[in-house]
Amino acid sequence: MNEQAKCGLFTREGAQVPLQGVEVTGELLGGHARVRVTQRYRNDEKKPVEALYTFPLPSDATLSAFSMTCAGRRVAGVVKEREAAFRAYDDAITEGHGAALLDQERANVFTAQVGNLLPGEETLVEVEFLQTLTAEEGSVRWMLPTLVAPRYIPGAVHGDRTGHGSAAPTTRVPDADRITPPTSLNVDYGLRMDLLIDVGRDVVVESPSHRITVAKDGTRTRVSLQRDSFLKNFAGNEVALDRDVVLTMRNANPDVMLTPVVTHRKAEGPGTFALTVVPDLLNLATTPPRQEVVFVVDTSGSMSGDSLPQAQAALRLCLRHLREGDRFNVIAFENAFRSFSAQTVPFTQRTLEQADAWVAGLKAYGGTELLEPMVTAMKAAPDGVVVLLTDGQVGNENEILEAVLAARGAGRVFSFGIGTNVSDALLRDLARRTDGAVEFIHPGERIDEKVVAQFSRALAPRVTDLEVRFDGVEASELAPATLPPLVDGTPWTLFGRYAQAGTGSVTLKGKSGREPFSLTVRLELPAQSDRPVVEKLWAAERIRGWMDAGLVGRRAEAMKERIVRLAVEHQLATRYTSFVVVEERQGDRRASGTPETRVVPVNAPAGWSMFNQAARGEDDEHVPEGGLVDALAPAPRPALRRMASKSMPAPAAMPGGVGRSRGGAVPPPPPSMAAPAPAPARDLGPEPTTGSSFQAEFADGSGPMGGRAAPMEQESAKNAKKDKGGLFDRLMSAAKPRKAADRTLESAPELEARREQKAEVFYEQEEVLPLSVADASIPTEDVGGLLGQQLANGLWAGTGEGPEPVRQARATARVLLVLLREGITSSHPLHGAQVKKAVDALLALASQLGQAPDVAELALGVAWLVAAGPRTRGRIEQAAKPLPGLDGRLGDTAALRQHVETLATR
């Protein structure tokens, strides 16, 4: 059998793949991170081989160094134009020398080729990158992706293969064979990590993704990973590369984390500066304008497992941050898409309940055809807000981005990356190009915190139409060239160059709504400064802006030449430049002949049930042959057995050239199934002419694998039952709409009938009872439960005596009093938006409370206590003038607090 048929996981002699492990080291210092990823290769065969490994890096990273260590000798790499770098690599391998090449395939996907690995010899390949750290909500977040997960590849097969990926190039994803590494269920190499965190003060370091070990030395913190106990083949503190590594640092002051001005300048030549502003725009806050919002939720097969339920929970919270008068719609997509409504509808209690029920019925299957639903959403709200919830695993990112921008007016895209292994490049580009934002929600993180932070940003005060003016100093070559808006509490950075040292100021001018805005910052540009990272970050931001220019023809060629010059000057890897390193060898260490290529397989992503089912050794009856997309079919079909004992036939060589690939003919993609259509049954047909929805040939020789929809749904239900009672299930259980605390939308027989019709539900619903307002303290997850019961009008449903306005005002005041006891007011970084919505609703209701003065005093008194802004408190004081019980108490916090506590017990 051809040795490449197993995608390099094992050779014919049973030797291990060349990649033995990955180690991450580095420092998180001040406002940036400097991280090194070391790949350790060892050739256990009897002849030289070439290793090819496709791996991810953060899409906002700037590659700053590349090196190779062989036989104890370290050789630094250099940046060259992409094709020139490949020729240098190819020539070195042909002449018997050692060499390594690093290509950027996408903003977050890279391929390392390491040639002429000698028998019995260990080789280290080191990649170094830089990242700017930003502070949000008083904390800092750092994320490192660990594998290139399978993704949806649309389009018809077209063009010659130039890579070793599982998918073939298509008309819509011409580089599909370079971004789809083979996947294995039995990867033996792991990840180690050792990071130093030094931000000048003590911080609490946590990880929602992994178990970590934290060692303190004053204000310095060293963080390493703890070994996954179920991975028997791993040694020491190795973990599987099957999910993102996420670290959060709490209680860090943004002013400490982000130096306002950082510079770099040698004795001669121009200097470079980075100006960071964390704007405080709270005083500019006004009643938010009416919003038009379209939610776009991914229900493709890659969202199966934990991802779709997380998206449903996040969407439920998103809906509750809308205000009556806003308009909204929900679009769910896989191969096709469907909408909650034919057009946007007003946000009311009725449409909220209907949307809750519609979202709760979503199921995961099919491919990730994101293009049409995103364009439809943007056309529905060209000047509004589009909220995307997805795992972002698609191949045609550029096509989607350009189509969305073409349909956009002034609309903004706010994205949630759900689950593990999110491909962040598309989501970050959508946020950056539309002045939106992106949040990544990993297993173990509180969904509500991410959602609220995101919506707070979407509705936060912002300054647009920015202009910058320098006084006393001269600056040029600013990046980004098009200034993004200032958003309250969100770090904003401007890079630039200066020829002469000096002290002056920079003034930012723009508009906040219709009001003018101006901010002046002192700027000191020294004659000498040693922060070379600033220069690389400036160059990377400059290149990023040029790449977004979208030029064509001769201007595009001129721009490409400009990018290559700047990237080579500052040694940065880009789409047009690559790192290459050559180790010149003599004597016996010089290889002869062409080394055979060993393609390194990657792990199956954690949390993707289509993989985990096979990893757990499910019965073969549940694992039919065919592409992974078969696992996502919406209807049951006859069971097909996977013949695990049979070897895959050796693939035939592809006709035509092999482009930049080495090691002989590139294997063709595995046979795959066409994207599924919602139909009762489907026959297995011949190999299609379209790209595969999920190309994931397994590197252990078992071939493509999938599973029926029904077993996956049963497994999801089984897992959900285990977690019953947690915050997630409490959030989702409230999807059973209620118009009041003592009244449900459906009768018991109706509910039972609906449950019988949908026996394959993902989760169990349970009743969430309102908390007692007398509770002095409540757990954090119960705060989420309370907020999850807020009605569309911003109030809470109430019981007891009086008309509905009185009951709702009484219940809302009592809930706000409970939140106040927990320190949650309208200025709370996470829950403040919902508190402010409730305060505004009580103010609107005050005129209807004339026949219940005690309730009016309770409502307005509590509203004054939880309202942080003087403007809102002034409105409350105006509304409270007819109420003698509040006379003299508004303004006296202690007396008012005692008064409302007494009223709340009546």
Side-chain angles (χ1 to χ4, degrees):
M1 185 179 69
N2 187 309
E3 290 182 344
Q4 290 188 8
K6 291 189 176 182
C7 302
L9 181 59
F10 292 99
T11 66
R12 182 163 45 195
E13 293 79 13
Q16 289 184 319
V17 293
L19 182 61
Q20 301 295 295
V22 178
E23 184 174 0
V24 173
T25 59
E27 306 86 30
L28 309 186
L29 305 172
H32 72 276
R34 182 181 180 184
V35 181
R36 290 169 294 280
V37 179
T38 303
Q39 300 163 3
R40 182 166 48 89
Y41 297 89
R42 180 181 175 83
N43 179 12
D44 288 329
E45 299 187 51
K46 298 178 181 179
K47 55 191 174 184
V49 297
E50 176 193 49
L52 190 147
Y53 178 40
T54 301
F55 63 96
L57 290 176
S59 62
D60 58 346
T62 299
L63 267 69
S64 56
F66 182 61
S67 67
M68 180 173 69
T69 302
C70 300
R73 180 186 173 206
R74 186 178 184 274
V75 184
V78 294
V79 171
K80 296 185 177 183
E81 187 274 330
R82 185 174 175 121
E83 289 305 317
F86 175 73
R87 287 193 297 272
Y89 171 81
D90 191 57
D91 289 344
I93 300 304
T94 302
E95 295 169 6
H97 302 296
L101 178 70
L102 182 66
D103 282 335
Q104 178 179 329
E105 313 296 354
R106 298 290 178 84
N108 59 342
V109 178
F110 296 81
T111 297
Q113 289 177 256
V114 188
N116 278 336
L117 292 169
L118 296 179
E121 190 167 286
E122 187 170 271
T123 299
L124 301 180
V125 172
E126 183 179 287
V127 179
E128 181 181 283
F129 65 88
L130 308 171
Q131 273 182 291
T132 299
L133 296 179
T134 57
E136 296 179 3
E137 311 296 351
S139 67
V140 170
R141 178 188 184 88
W142 178 78
M143 180 180 72
L144 177 72
T146 63
L147 82 151
V148 178
R151 62 187 65 209
Y152 178 67
I153 304 294
V157 172
H158 177 76
D160 294 333
R161 295 173 66 89
T162 64
H164 289 72
S166 298
T170 72
T171 52
R172 292 171 64 182
V173 190
D175 62 345
D177 57 329
R178 304 190 65 85
I179 60 172
T180 54
T183 303
S184 173
L185 297 175
N186 300 296
V187 169
D188 288 334
Y189 61 86
L191 169 70
R192 288 188 176 93
M193 186 184 78
D194 183 16
L195 284 181
L196 174 66
I197 300 172
D198 188 0
V199 296
R201 59 168 297 177
D202 190 28
V203 293
V204 177
V205 182
E206 298 172 317
S207 173
S209 62
H210 292 77
R211 293 187 304 151
I212 59 174
T213 299
V214 178
K216 295 280 190 178
D217 182 11
T219 61
R220 295 157 65 94
T221 304
R222 192 167 291 279
V223 181
S224 59
L225 300 175
Q226 294 184 22
R227 184 173 70 90
D228 293 332
S229 57
F230 59 88
L231 297 174
K232 306 301 182 185
N233 296 332
F234 287 3
N237 290 324
E238 279 189 326
V239 300
L241 288 99
D242 63 355
R243 72 198 71 189
D244 298 340
V245 177
V246 183
L247 295 180
T248 60
M249 289 144 272
R250 292 192 290 109
N251 299 329
N253 186 332
D255 293 334
V256 174
M257 300 302 298
L258 293 171
T259 305
V261 181
V262 182
T263 62
H264 174 72
R265 189 169 191 257
K266 298 179 181 178
E268 298 179 357
T272 309
F273 69 87
L275 166 67
T276 299
V277 176
V278 183
D280 181 3
L281 307 178
L282 186 61
N283 292 332
L284 300 178
T286 58
T287 301
R290 297 305 179 194
Q291 299 283 347
E292 189 156 31
V293 182
V294 179
F295 300 96
V296 182
V297 58
D298 187 344
T299 59
S300 66
S302 59
M303 291 285 289
S304 61
D306 296 334
S307 295
L308 181 59
Q310 289 186 44
Q312 290 169 308
L315 182 53
R316 171 177 162 76
L317 288 172
C318 286
L319 289 169
R320 274 155 180 75
H321 279 75
L322 296 177
R323 293 171 175 266
E324 287 189 315
D326 290 344
R327 299 183 66 86
F328 78 100
N329 200 358
V330 185
I331 296 174
F333 70 93
E334 17 86 23
N335 289 95
F337 70 91
R338 56 199 183 281
S339 301
F340 165 67
S341 175
Q343 57 188 6
T344 58
V345 297
F347 180 69
T348 65
Q349 185 62 28
R350 180 181 178 184
T351 57
L352 171 62
E353 292 167 353
Q354 291 172 339
D356 274 345
W358 191 84
V359 169
L362 297 176
K363 299 290 185 294
Y365 60 84
T368 313
E369 188 57 65
L370 180 56
L371 177 63
E372 290 187 20
M374 280 299 294
V375 171
T376 300
M378 189 55 78
K379 287 182 177 178
D383 298 315
V385 173
V386 173
V387 178
L388 171 63
L389 301 98
T390 182
D391 62 358
Q393 299 295 346
V394 294
N396 55 329
E397 294 106 322
N398 287 339
E399 182 185 24
I400 295 169
L401 179 63
E402 295 305 320
V404 170
L405 295 177
R408 172 180 177 253
R412 294 173 284 150
V413 178
F414 291 80
S415 302
F416 294 99
I418 304 291
T420 61
N421 308 300
V422 178
S423 176
D424 64 340
L426 173 62
L427 304 188
R428 291 188 189 278
D429 283 344
L430 284 170
R432 185 165 52 88
R433 300 288 294 276
T434 66
D435 294 333
V438 60
E439 287 285 356
F440 296 98
I441 303 175
H442 290 78
E445 292 190 299
R446 288 180 59 91
I447 297 171
D448 55 348
E449 292 183 358
K450 292 291 181 182
V451 173
V452 173
Q454 179 77 286
F455 257 80
S456 296
R457 241 194 315 270
L459 302 178
R462 61 180 48 223
V463 177
T464 58
D465 301 329
L466 275 178
E467 298 178 355
V468 59
R469 188 186 75 241
F470 292 88
D471 294 310
V473 292
E474 291 186 6
S476 61
E477 299 181 85
L478 302 180
T482 302
L483 300 180
L486 284 173
V487 180
D488 182 47
T490 300
W492 181 95
T493 301
L494 177 67
F495 297 96
R497 304 274 266 180
Y498 63 96
Q500 300 293 330
T503 301
S505 64
V506 56
T507 300
L508 301 175
K509 289 188 175 183
K511 293 181 179 179
S512 175
R514 298 180 180 178
E515 299 295 322
F517 170 86
S518 180
L519 174 68
T520 300
V521 179
R522 186 173 181 270
L523 191 61
E524 183 176 350
L525 303 177
Q528 284 189 308
S529 179
D530 188 23
R531 293 294 292 273
V533 62
V534 176
E535 197 168 61
K536 286 184 177 287
L537 292 172
W538 164 81
E541 185 63 39
R542 189 92 165 144
I543 290 172
R544 205 171 285 126
W546 290 343
M547 296 288 289
D548 292 341
L551 302 179
V552 295
R554 296 174 65 185
R555 292 197 64 197
E557 285 300 316
M559 183 65 78
K560 177 180 176 180
E561 293 175 3
R562 194 174 297 119
I563 291 172
V564 170
R565 283 198 303 270
L566 190 62
V568 170
E569 177 185 353
H570 295 280
Q571 293 292 282
L572 301 175
T574 69
R575 188 181 301 174
Y576 304 129
T577 57
S578 298
F579 271 106
V580 64
V581 56
V582 175
E583 181 216 9
E584 294 188 358
R585 295 174 177 173
Q586 304 293 331
D588 293 341
R589 297 195 68 249
R590 192 160 177 172
S592 60
T594 300
E596 294 189 23
T597 299
R598 301 287 178 249
V599 182
V600 177
V602 300
N603 263 301
W608 285 25
S609 63
M610 65 188 73
F611 293 105
N612 295 343
Q613 187 180 76
R616 288 189 301 268
E618 296 282 351
D619 186 276
D620 283 347
E621 193 172 29
H622 292 165
V623 189
E625 293 178 349
L628 282 176
V629 70
D630 293 331
L632 316 175
R637 50 186 249 180
L640 300 174
R641 288 188 176 272
R642 174 170 63 89
M643 305 304 293
S645 61
K646 287 188 177 181
S647 299
M648 289 287 291
M654 285 289 290
V658 294
R660 295 161 52 84
S661 298
R662 293 187 51 85
V666 182
S672 60
M673 296 307 301
R682 188 171 72 253
D683 294 330
L684 292 176
E687 182 174 356
T689 57
T690 59
S692 164
S693 289
F694 283 96
Q695 293 287 355
E697 179 183 18
F698 283 93
D700 57 5
S702 60
M705 181 172 58
R708 292 181 303 173
M712 291 198 327
E713 291 167 359
Q714 292 165 3
E715 185 65 31
S716 299
K718 188 189 306 180
N719 292 338
K721 289 178 182 178
K722 294 177 183 177
D723 297 331
K724 182 176 177 181
L727 172 62
F728 161 69
D729 282 288
R730 295 190 58 150
L731 290 172
M732 292 305 298
S733 67
K736 179 174 68 178
R738 295 186 299 168
K739 289 184 178 178
D742 57 346
R743 182 159 51 96
T744 62
L745 276 179
E746 302 177 23
S747 65
E750 290 172 333
L751 184 59
E752 185 62 29
R754 183 166 63 84
R755 283 178 175 168
E756 290 178 357
Q757 292 173 356
K758 297 186 177 182
E760 69 280 15
V761 292
F762 279 101
Y763 52 87
E764 291 275 327
Q765 292 188 344
E766 60 177 318
E767 185 70 19
V768 177
L769 299 177
L771 294 169
S772 169
V773 181
D775 292 343
S777 179
I778 58 176
T780 303
E781 59 267 22
D782 288 334
V783 170
L786 270 180
L787 293 171
Q789 298 175 42
Q790 190 174 25
L791 301 177
N793 60 7
L795 302 170
W796 273 261
T799 57
E801 300 178 352
E804 186 174 57
V806 172
R807 296 199 306 269
Q808 290 187 347
R810 183 190 299 116
T812 301
R814 288 175 172 173
V815 169
L816 291 180
L817 189 55
V818 171
L819 297 176
L820 179 64
R821 292 173 185 148
E822 301 303 312
I824 299 173
T825 67
S826 66
S827 63
H828 192 273
L830 297 177
H831 306 306
Q834 281 187 268
V835 172
K836 189 175 188 308
K837 181 179 178 180
V839 169
D840 290 342
L842 287 176
L843 275 169
L845 201 65
S847 61
Q848 303 178 47
L849 304 178
Q851 302 303 314
D854 284 357
V855 174
E857 288 183 18
L858 173 64
L860 292 179
V862 173
W864 192 92
L865 289 170
V866 299
R871 194 176 300 173
T872 302
R873 283 187 166 181
R875 292 169 54 207
I876 296 171
E877 290 164 3
Q878 279 293 119
K881 283 185 176 180
L883 300 173
L886 294 181
D887 185 30
R889 290 194 172 100
L890 295 182
D892 186 341
T893 301
L896 181 61
R897 179 70 178 267
Q898 184 177 4
H899 182 60
V900 298
E901 291 280 2
T902 301
L903 292 174
T905 59
R906 294 180 182 175

